[in-house]
Coordinates of all heavy atoms in Angstrom, one line a residue:
Chain W
L72 N -16.1 2.3 -17.9 CA -14.7 2.4 -17.4 C -13.9 3.4 -18.2 O -13.2 4.3 -17.6 CB -14.0 1.0 -17.6 CG -13.9 0.2 -16.4 CD1 -13.0 -1.0 -16.7 CD2 -13.3 1.0 -15.2
Y82 N -7.6 15.0 -14.6 CA -7.2 15.5 -13.3 C -5.7 15.6 -13.2 O -5.1 16.3 -12.4 CB -7.7 14.7 -12.2 CG -9.0 15.2 -11.5 CD1 -10.2 15.1 -12.2 CD2 -8.9 15.9 -10.3 CE1 -11.4 15.6 -11.6 CE2 -10.1 16.4 -9.7 CZ -11.3 16.2 -10.3 OH -12.4 16.7 -9.8
L96 N 2.7 18.9 -4.1 CA 2.1 17.9 -3.4 C 0.7 18.3 -2.8 O -0.2 17.6 -2.8 CB 3.0 17.3 -2.3 CG 4.2 16.5 -2.8 CD1 5.1 16.0 -1.7 CD2 3.8 15.4 -3.7
K103 N -7.0 15.2 -5.5 CA -7.4 13.8 -5.4 C -8.6 13.7 -4.3 O -9.5 12.9 -4.5 CB -6.3 12.9 -4.9 CG -5.2 12.7 -6.0 CD -5.7 11.7 -7.1 CE -5.9 10.3 -6.5 NZ -6.4 9.4 -7.5
P126 N -9.0 -7.0 -14.7 CA -9.1 -7.7 -16.0 C -9.2 -6.8 -17.2 O -8.7 -7.1 -18.3 CB -10.3 -8.6 -15.8 CG -11.1 -8.0 -14.7 CD -10.1 -7.3 -13.8
R143 N 6.4 11.1 -12.6 CA 6.4 11.8 -11.3 C 7.5 11.4 -10.4 O 8.0 12.2 -9.6 CB 5.0 11.6 -10.6 CG 3.8 11.9 -11.5 CD 3.8 13.3 -12.0 NE 3.5 13.3 -13.5 CZ 2.6 14.0 -14.0 NH1 1.9 14.9 -13.3 NH2 2.3 14.0 -15.3
A145 N 10.4 10.5 -11.1 CA 11.6 11.1 -11.5 C 11.7 12.5 -11.0 O 12.8 13.0 -10.4 CB 11.8 11.1 -13.0
T171 N -4.8 7.1 0.6 CA -5.4 7.9 1.6 C -6.6 8.7 1.1 O -7.6 8.9 1.8 CB -4.4 8.8 2.3 OG1 -3.7 9.5 1.3 CG2 -3.4 8.0 3.1
I184 N -20.3 5.3 9.3 CA -20.7 4.6 10.5 C -19.9 4.9 11.7 O -20.4 5.2 12.8 CB -20.8 3.1 10.3 CG1 -21.8 2.7 9.2 CG2 -21.1 2.3 11.6 CD1 -21.8 1.3 8.8
K189 N -24.4 11.1 8.7 CA -25.3 10.7 7.7 C -24.7 10.7 6.3 O -24.8 9.9 5.5 CB -26.6 11.5 7.7 CG -27.7 11.1 8.6 CD -28.5 9.9 8.1 CE -29.7 9.6 9.0 NZ -30.3 8.3 8.7
S204 N -3.0 16.8 3.7 CA -1.9 17.7 3.2 C -0.9 17.9 4.3 O 0.3 17.7 4.1 CB -2.5 19.0 2.7 OG -1.5 19.9 2.4

Side-chain angles (χ1 to χ4, degrees):
Chain W
L72 257 190
Y82 262 78
L96 288 183
K103 290 285 297 176
R143 309 300 137 129
T171 51
I184 295 175
K189 275 280 184 191
S204 173

